[in-house]
Amino acid sequence: MSWLKRERSGIKTTAKAERPEVPEGLWTKCDGCGEALFQTVLEQHLWTCPHCDHHFRVPARQYVGYLTDEGSFVERHANLVAGDPLEFRDAKMRYPDRLAAAQRDTGEKDAAISGVATIGGVPVSVALMNFFFMGGSMGSVVGEKVARAIEDGIAERRAVVVVSATGGARMQEGILSLMQMAKTSVLLARLREARLPFVSLLTDPSTAGVLASYASLGDVIVAEPKALVGFAGARVIRQTIGEDLPPGFQRAEFVLEKGFVDRIAHRKTVRDEIGGLLGYFWHSTRGFAPDGGTSPHAYDPNAPRSNP
């Protein structure tokens, strides 16, 4: 007897043809090579593709665990929330409604988190941007968190590390978002006067007003592989200069070749890379202490680990 039989509704198999249900979120397609990957495998590889090394975008709070020493991060300035002084409304909704939707989707109050931690045993003040919150756009809250992270670094003699993941300034806050560029840049000048290091880490994407301000002012600028790094979009640049652009001209490898980025670090090694850099600064400045390491508040890397 044939394994096929005819019915009025068409040809069907005698056996059940339904595919077993696959739990939602079990597989993720790699944007780099197109490979279908188990999410458990991606988690083991810190959300990088084991086949092509494509670096997936991850939320800021998750990236904290990749960057800082285990258990060392203490969040600060968590209650800052954006206002709506311009009473902005885009084509779809009011700004407060868009903020509420992003807060509901991400569980965060805005597109950055900040706090203190250690990296490789060195005390740091960190700020990390979250691309999943309105494209990681920099508004007044993001600028204020970065600013306060810098101020905490100066006050407590800590290195400063900022992780960028952003499409640029937040249009809903207009000039208020652009003011954050100047505010953070001035504070970084104060950080330099205090002889404290600043490491800027660029993840995909790091663009526009953020790149034009604090993201490009690091004593050392580190980028993840193939991260998009640039000010204006490729189409805008092409239309402006009227010329074809070289392949990958806004990727981390190209800007490294041109000298804008100092080094590229795989996510699996980024903690060691930045920890090594900070260790160099630590020894060259004798522990960041203003009196050459004799201050009673100077950090002792050999002391038992406690909350920073």
Side-chain angles (χ1 to χ4, degrees):
M1 178 178 178
S2 172
W3 62 281
L4 295 175
K5 71 176 182 178
R6 292 185 177 272
E7 294 184 359
R8 290 181 181 179
S9 57
I11 298 176
K12 295 184 179 181
T13 62
T14 54
K16 291 183 179 180
E18 293 84 358
R19 295 176 58 188
E21 292 186 4
V22 178
E24 185 178 355
L26 185 63
W27 296 87
T28 296
K29 182 179 179 180
C30 176
D31 294 331
C33 63
E35 190 78 17
L37 304 167
F38 272 116
Q39 287 198 2
T40 52
V41 173
L42 285 172
E43 290 168 359
Q44 293 170 0
H45 288 266
L46 309 189
W47 282 90
T48 63
C49 177
H51 301 286
C52 70
D53 264 349
H54 172 73
H55 282 49
F56 289 79
R57 296 166 181 168
V58 296
R61 203 167 292 277
Q62 186 172 346
Y63 206 98
V64 168
Y66 303 155
L67 178 64
T68 63
D69 295 338
E70 184 177 359
S72 69
F73 178 72
V74 176
E75 187 173 5
R76 292 182 177 176
H77 319 302
N79 294 323
L80 296 177
V81 292
D84 185 27
L86 303 182
E87 298 182 353
F88 190 96
R89 181 185 181 91
D90 60 30
K92 293 185 177 180
M93 65 181 72
R94 299 181 309 117
Y95 181 38
D97 297 332
R98 192 167 290 282
L99 278 174
Q103 290 166 350
R104 181 179 61 252
D105 292 342
T106 64
E108 303 290 351
K109 293 186 176 179
D110 215 288
I113 60 174
S114 62
V116 292
T118 60
I119 300 178
V122 177
V124 295
S125 180
V126 296
L128 303 96
M129 303 184 70
N130 187 357
F131 187 78
F132 297 97
F133 192 107
M134 295 183 66
S137 51
M138 176 183 62
S140 54
V141 169
V142 171
E144 185 64 17
K145 286 195 175 187
V146 173
R148 293 192 186 188
I150 300 169
E151 290 175 333
D152 289 345
I154 295 172
E156 301 174 17
R157 305 298 299 173
R158 294 174 177 269
V160 175
V161 178
V162 177
V163 180
S164 297
T166 175
R170 186 172 297 174
M171 70 173 187
Q172 289 88 349
E173 295 190 24
I175 191 64
L176 299 177
S177 63
L178 298 179
M179 288 169 57
Q180 310 309 312
M181 298 170 62
K183 179 172 71 177
T184 53
S185 298
V186 167
L187 285 171
L188 285 173
R190 287 180 51 198
L191 184 77
R192 179 167 297 183
E193 291 173 358
R195 299 184 62 79
L196 293 167
F198 169 46
V199 176
S200 176
L201 174 57
L202 311 180
T203 68
D204 183 65
S206 294
T207 61
V210 171
L211 189 73
S213 54
Y214 56 83
S216 64
L217 296 177
D219 296 304
V220 180
I221 301 176
V222 181
E224 287 193 337
K226 298 182 181 179
L228 178 64
V229 178
F231 178 65
R235 180 169 53 86
V236 173
I237 296 174
R238 188 181 297 108
Q239 291 175 347
T240 301
I241 66 176
E243 296 181 7
D244 291 332
L245 302 168
F249 84 107
Q250 285 186 322
R251 293 295 170 178
E253 291 73 12
F254 185 89
V255 294
L256 173 69
E257 179 184 336
K258 300 302 179 181
F260 182 82
V261 167
D262 296 303
R263 63 198 307 167
I264 293 175
H266 194 283
R267 188 173 295 164
K268 292 180 181 179
T269 65
V270 69
R271 180 189 297 156
D272 293 336
E273 292 267 359
I274 293 182
L277 290 168
L278 295 177
Y280 169 79
F281 286 117
W282 176 270
H283 292 295
S284 65
T285 57
R286 299 193 64 182
F288 305 157
D291 53 9
T294 62
S295 168
H297 300 293
Y299 181 83
D300 180 5
N302 297 316
R305 185 71 54 81
S306 60
N307 286 336

